[in-house]
């Protein structure tokens, strides 16, 4: 999301906030941008990845399609809900896409959380 009062013509890093923890974008906090300016930071993405993808958690309300904050689609795959801002959801597809993009970006210093499960 954008900080309130952001000048859209010249968006600064500090104007870009994570929808899931409302921290601003810094050099050591990489961001992945979704649709309509929604963002998730590397810290929240790591949490979401570990919880939903590795841990098999699903924060979606059973029986209802969850609207993902990142892709704005109603998703039926497992979702991660921000513990601090319950309106912010991210679907497993966006978690995986975001993790792939961040892990590929050499500047992000972001590594995919290790899959410790035995398969
Ligand atoms: Zn965050
Ligand atoms: Zn999504």
């Amino acid at each position: 999301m954008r900080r309130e009062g952001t000048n859209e013509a010249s968006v600064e890093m500090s104007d870009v906030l994570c929808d899931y923890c409302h921290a601003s974008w810094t050099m050591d906090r990489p961001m992945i941008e979704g649709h309509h300016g929604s963002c998730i930071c590397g810290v929240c993405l790591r949490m979401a990845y570990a919880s939903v993808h590795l841990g098999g958690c699903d924060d979606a309300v059973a029986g209802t399609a969850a609207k993902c904050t990142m892709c704005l689609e109603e998703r039926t795959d497992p979702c991660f809900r921000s513990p601090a801002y319950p309106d912010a959801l991210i679907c497993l597809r966006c978690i995986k896409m975001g993790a792939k993009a961040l892990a590929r970006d050499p500047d992000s210093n972001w590594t995919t959380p290790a899959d410790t499960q035995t398969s």
Side-chain angles (χ1 to χ4, degrees):
M1 60 169 62
R2 296 278 189 264
R3 189 187 297 280
E4 218 172 299
T6 296
N7 176 6
E8 283 298 327
S10 67
V11 178
E12 310 271 340
M13 274 177 85
S14 59
D15 293 329
V16 179
L17 305 182
C18 170
D19 280 73
Y20 300 82
C21 67
H22 293 196
S24 59
W25 183 18
T26 59
M27 290 312 280
D28 49 12
R29 185 181 287 267
M31 286 275 180
I32 288 287
E33 195 157 4
H35 288 277
H36 297 272
S38 55
C39 288
I40 186 165
C41 74
V43 178
C44 292
L45 185 63
R46 175 177 291 277
M47 211 152 61
Y49 191 96
S51 163
V52 177
H53 186 51
L54 302 182
C57 295
D58 182 6
D59 294 335
V61 179
T64 58
K67 191 167 176 214
C68 171
T69 304
M70 292 297 278
C71 62
L72 303 179
E73 286 176 31
E74 292 201 346
R75 306 283 303 163
T76 51
D77 48 350
C79 287
F80 171 79
R81 185 184 297 274
S82 160
Y85 303 95
D87 287 348
L89 278 169
I90 183 168
C91 68
L92 181 57
R93 184 183 60 172
C94 289
I95 294 171
K96 284 190 189 166
M97 267 175 10
K100 210 180 263 180
L102 267 192
R104 235 191 344 237
D105 179 358
D107 295 330
S108 75
N109 281 324
W110 197 89
T111 50
T112 313
D115 191 344
T116 49
Q117 286 173 336
T118 46
S119 52

